């Protein structure tokens, strides 16, 4: 176990510098959950060895918040706000446009604070047709007006706003924004008045059923669970100076499979399966557990950071091909049929669900 102090974490550090640090840490350090898995190993599917389907004719297309997707997958919000981030965003956007899938931008806090950084998020030129989500942190909602958020979304021509619920990350940052009082009312207000669909997302520690039940009473249109088992944001923070509590809370949170099942039970709108989605079988399991589509961050980040549009495309094409294979193996000719397929829960995940409300 490391001792935390790898990067220089100056408390006065601006958003742009912090973003650069995060990208470097994710690229160079081991930042995945260690003792907690997504729970997908505890999910087994009914194998249909007489499917009466042609693999090539399986229809992967779906719709999310008014936009069509050629496959039920999007790239989770990651970057923006630094020159390196611009390159990564453009690579991801081009791959998503070619594949007809969705993309999230990273936190746009940097471009509110420094409008000249807008260009680092500006991917519409290269991806005119994709579903594109803007992004802001829950802790920043107390600082920005509705008009500032509307402008932030308009400036990048996003289709929706994702509000990330990253309490765990802010809590372990020495300079974190830790005043969450009134955030639920703020989310309600933004969802009601933004003029674009609003959804909430985790950042790798999940969203519980009880939070989903509260969000269900708002105009929030989707939950992107971003559960535990993949990238750990407390883990990432622990590599920054004075954020050693991130080591203690490295594996904190709701495993992705548990988060999907709990949210499905308590939230009757769209759900995205995410957090540790590492292959097409994870995606298929997530959709059978109750999600409408899946999203992934880390594998795409690595492919973009170390490679180019083609390496990102290869990663995403592999996901898509594996989703198609999974659909054949459970006998689903389209996403609607996939939703209705049976699953079996085993072990620790069953234990969590048995004790859930
Ligand atoms: C390099 C990087 C930067 C990220 N930045 C943001 C961000 O700005 N806003 C956000 O909501 N989530 C951010 N995330 C979190 C991801 O959207 C996702 O929730 C998390 O990485 C878990 O998914 P994964 O296990 O597939 O990586 C970032 C993730 C990575 C890897």
């Amino acid at each position: 176990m490391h001792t935390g102090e790898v990067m220089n974490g100056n408390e006065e550090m601006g958003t742009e510098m912090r973003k650069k640090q995060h990208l470097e840490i994710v690229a160079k350090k081991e930042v995945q959950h260690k003792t907690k898995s997504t729970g997908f190993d505890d999910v087994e599917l009914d194998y249909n060895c007489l499917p009466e389907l042609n693999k090539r004719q399986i229809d992967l297309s779906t719709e999310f918040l008014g936009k069509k997707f050629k496959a039920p997958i999007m790239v989770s919000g990651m970057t923006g706000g630094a020159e390196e981030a611009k390159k990564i965003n453009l690579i991801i956007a081009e791959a998503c446009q070619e594949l007809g899938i969705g993309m999230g931008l990273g936190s746009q806090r940097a471009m509110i604070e420094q409008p000249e950084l807008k260009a680092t998020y500006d991917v519409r030129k290269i991806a005119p047709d994709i579903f594109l989500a803007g992004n802001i942190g829950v802790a920043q909602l107390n600082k920005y007006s509705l008009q500032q958020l509307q402008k932030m979304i308009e400036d990048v021509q996003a289709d929706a706003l994702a509000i990330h619920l990253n309490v765990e990350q802010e809590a372990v940052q020495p300079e974190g924004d830790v005043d969450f009082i009134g955030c639920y009312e703020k989310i309600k207000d933004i969802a009601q008045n933004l003029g674009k669909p609003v959804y909430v997302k985790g950042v790798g520690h999940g969203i519980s059923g009880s939070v989903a039940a509260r969000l269900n009473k708002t105009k929030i249109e989707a939950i992107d669970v971003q559960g535990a088992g993949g990238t750990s944001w407390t883990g990432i923070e622990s590599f920054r100076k004075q954020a050693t509590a991130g080591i203690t809370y490295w594996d904190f949170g709701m495993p992705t499979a548990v988060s999907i099942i709990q949210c499905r039970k308590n939230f009757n709108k769209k759900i995205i399966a995410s957090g540790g989605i590492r292959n097409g079988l994870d995606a298929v399991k997530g959709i059978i557990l109750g999600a409408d589509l899946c999203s992934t961050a880390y594998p795409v980040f690595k492919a973009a950071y170390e490679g180019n549009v083609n390496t990102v495309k290869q990663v995403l094409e592999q996901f898509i091909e594996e989703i198609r294979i999974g659909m054949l193996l459970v006998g689903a000719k389209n996403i609607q049929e996939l939703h209705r397929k049976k699953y079996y829960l085993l072990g620790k995940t069953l234990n969590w669900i048995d004790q859930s409300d």
Side-chain angles (χ1 to χ4, degrees):
M1 200 171 263
H2 69 89
T3 52
E5 193 178 323
V6 172
M7 304 281 159
N8 174 23
N10 178 354
E11 289 191 25
E12 297 302 316
M13 174 182 297
T15 307
E16 185 182 0
M17 182 58 86
R18 190 166 42 238
K19 199 74 216 177
K20 277 188 194 160
Q21 273 199 351
H22 284 150
L23 296 185
E24 208 182 319
I25 294 169
V26 177
K28 296 188 179 149
K29 303 288 174 191
E30 176 47 59
V31 293
Q32 302 301 290
H33 277 270
K34 291 178 176 173
T35 59
K36 191 163 276 170
S37 81
T38 55
F40 287 130
D41 280 351
D42 288 331
V43 180
E44 293 291 342
L45 305 178
D46 238 8
Y47 172 35
N48 183 345
C49 54
L50 262 183
E52 298 295 333
L53 290 174
N54 178 341
K55 182 182 151 197
R56 290 188 193 84
Q57 289 170 1
I58 289 174
D59 179 8
L60 275 74
S61 67
T62 193
E63 190 252 68
F64 181 65
L65 306 188
K67 273 264 163 103
K68 289 200 177 351
F69 285 53
K70 285 192 182 152
I73 179 165
M74 70 179 277
V75 177
S76 309
M78 287 187 278
T79 58
E83 215 32 57
E84 299 88 322
K86 178 179 177 181
K87 184 184 143 227
I88 292 169
N89 271 339
L90 289 174
I91 288 175
I92 295 173
E94 192 173 337
C96 290
Q97 174 72 22
E98 284 185 32
L99 297 172
I101 60 174
M103 171 183 178
L105 294 168
S107 170
Q108 291 174 265
R109 175 184 180 178
M111 71 175 255
I112 297 188
E113 288 170 8
Q114 289 173 261
E116 70 276 12
L117 292 175
K118 186 191 129 187
T120 66
Y121 299 87
D122 200 356
V123 299
R124 256 309 174 216
K125 298 181 289 295
I126 217 156
D129 305 312
I130 63 169
F131 170 80
L132 181 68
N135 186 298
I136 198 72
V138 65
Q140 279 85 58
L141 296 183
N142 283 331
K143 290 192 187 150
Y144 305 132
S145 66
L146 181 69
Q147 291 70 26
Q148 277 176 302
L149 297 177
Q150 281 168 328
K151 179 165 177 358
M152 179 189 95
I153 291 300
E154 273 164 27
D155 279 349
V156 295
Q157 298 175 62
D159 298 298
L161 170 65
I163 299 175
H164 62 263
L165 308 183
N166 63 334
V167 177
E168 73 288 36
Q169 183 193 4
E170 299 286 355
V172 302
Q173 270 183 10
E175 77 280 29
D177 284 331
V178 289
D179 181 2
F180 301 100
I181 295 171
C183 279
Y184 175 71
E185 287 302 321
K186 203 81 206 226
I187 289 175
K188 255 171 93 174
D189 178 49
I190 293 164
Q192 175 91 38
N193 297 308
L194 189 76
K196 290 270 180 194
V198 179
Y199 67 98
V200 298
K201 72 181 282 293
V203 294
H205 300 264
I207 294 180
S208 67
S210 56
V211 169
R214 290 169 69 205
L215 293 169
N216 200 40
K217 296 185 198 131
T218 72
K219 297 270 187 217
I220 287 291
E221 294 199 23
I223 292 180
D224 184 358
V225 302
Q226 301 290 351
T231 307
S232 165
W233 267 92
T234 44
I236 293 170
E237 290 299 338
S238 75
F239 286 102
R240 297 176 59 235
K241 197 177 171 189
Q242 295 162 344
T244 44
I247 296 174
T248 306
Y249 285 94
W250 192 295
D251 287 305
F252 188 78
M254 319 285 302
T256 298
V258 173
S259 201
I260 297 167
I261 296 170
Q262 288 196 0
C263 287
R264 184 71 294 161
K265 205 172 152 197
N266 291 284
F267 187 78
N268 59 20
K269 292 166 267 182
K270 297 277 183 184
I271 290 178
I272 304 178
S274 52
I277 300 286
R278 295 294 175 262
N279 56 54
L281 179 55
D282 290 341
V284 165
K285 288 180 178 178
I287 293 172
I288 294 181
L289 290 182
D292 295 279
L293 68 156
C294 76
S295 77
T296 186
Y298 185 74
V300 175
F301 171 76
K302 289 288 263 190
Y305 192 86
E306 289 159 12
N308 51 39
V309 177
N310 285 334
T311 48
V312 171
K313 261 182 75 184
Q314 272 165 20
V315 167
L316 291 167
E317 278 167 348
Q318 182 72 17
F319 268 96
I320 293 168
E321 173 61 7
E322 289 180 2
I323 294 173
R324 192 188 308 281
I325 293 170
M327 289 174 71
L328 177 72
L329 297 183
V330 299
K333 72 170 181 298
N334 56 36
I335 302 297
Q336 290 71 31
E337 283 193 11
L338 188 59
H339 285 307
R340 295 197 291 272
K341 295 296 168 187
K342 182 176 167 61
Y343 65 85
Y344 305 87
L345 273 193
L346 313 171
K348 217 171 164 179
T349 306
L350 178 61
N351 217 328
W352 271 83
I353 295 304
D354 277 349
Q355 293 177 58
S356 303
D357 295 329

